[in-house]
Amino acid sequence: DLAQITRDLVALHASTAVGPYLSLWARTPDFQRVMLEEVLFEQRTLAKILCMRYTVHAVLSNEIPLFFQAYADRPPSRDQASLDTMLTLAGLCSEAETDTFGATLRRQVLSALHARGTATLVELSAEIAALTAKIQHSEGKKYAGTFSLGSRLLPLMCAEGTVIRTRPSGSWRSTQYAYATLVDWLP
């Protein structure tokens, strides 16, 4: 019983796509990959959420509120300040407008996901141009580069409990997730 094993362990670490599969292969006689996919994506008795230490874990769906409550007192200021900085660095708004712009952007993401059911970041970015805004990091260093605003906003919304990762695109080892609103995925 995958739900009982997950309950016994509290959660399955899922920061890597294969993590929960490996955990269950080590603990479940005759475990098959499709068994986990069934409870994650069809029955939805388990779900992958961003929680504890800001990492992904597969948990029992009916216990998600407990996980969010367990780290609810974590100061959101660091994540919000980071998003505010990204919005201004991307040239999307001024510092004075970050609260309004960020709230509008979140509403746009939730509205698009609600209308579509699920969507990847690429699909959402085609609909919401601000998600494609590029932000440079580590300028002048060997590891300098850019990332899109959407690649940071969606995980933040997952940590806030408004969005959830759903089935990945491609193989079971893929990290290219589709997203849904939490209330639509797990009503």
Side-chain angles (χ1 to χ4, degrees):
D1 179 1
L2 302 186
Q4 186 60 50
I5 292 168
T6 303
R7 182 179 288 112
D8 291 347
L9 294 170
V10 177
L12 303 174
H13 192 260
S15 286
T16 63
V18 300
Y21 293 93
L22 296 176
S23 291
L24 292 169
W25 267 313
R27 293 171 173 86
T28 309
D30 303 319
F31 175 75
Q32 299 294 315
R33 173 176 57 80
V34 294
M35 295 165 66
L36 180 56
E37 291 166 358
E38 175 70 21
V39 296
L40 277 172
F41 308 125
E42 303 305 325
Q43 297 171 6
R44 301 180 186 172
T45 53
L46 295 181
K48 289 183 179 181
I49 62 169
L50 206 55
C51 60
M52 301 179 285
R53 298 182 326 272
Y54 209 72
T55 58
V56 181
H57 289 78
V59 303
L60 291 167
S61 297
N62 63 352
E63 293 182 356
I64 287 175
L66 300 174
F67 285 90
F68 284 135
Q69 185 60 39
Y71 73 97
D73 62 351
R74 178 178 177 267
S77 58
R78 182 185 72 193
D79 297 327
Q80 186 58 50
S82 177
L83 178 63
D84 291 350
T85 300
M86 286 185 263
L87 292 173
T88 56
L89 286 175
L92 295 170
C93 63
S94 69
E95 284 184 37
E97 300 167 317
T98 56
D99 287 344
T100 303
F101 191 89
T104 299
L105 189 55
R106 282 179 167 89
R107 279 193 303 276
Q108 289 174 332
V109 168
L110 293 173
S111 177
L113 287 173
H114 183 68
R116 289 174 161 268
T118 63
T120 64
L121 176 56
V122 171
E123 292 167 336
L124 289 170
S125 296
E127 193 171 324
I128 307 166
L131 296 178
T132 65
K134 298 293 182 200
I135 300 156
Q136 293 187 345
H137 68 85
S138 310
E139 290 183 57
K141 308 233 187 226
K142 282 186 355 184
Y143 49 88
T146 61
F147 58 87
S148 72
L149 178 63
S151 71
R152 296 303 199 270
L153 179 62
L154 285 174
L156 177 59
M157 292 178 74
C158 286
E160 293 169 346
T162 56
V163 171
I164 190 166
R165 293 175 181 201
T166 65
R167 186 182 297 274
S169 303
S171 83
W172 64 281
R173 291 179 258 173
S174 174
T175 57
Q176 300 301 310
Y177 291 96
Y179 296 86
T181 64
L182 183 62
V183 297
D184 288 339
W185 189 252
L186 301 170

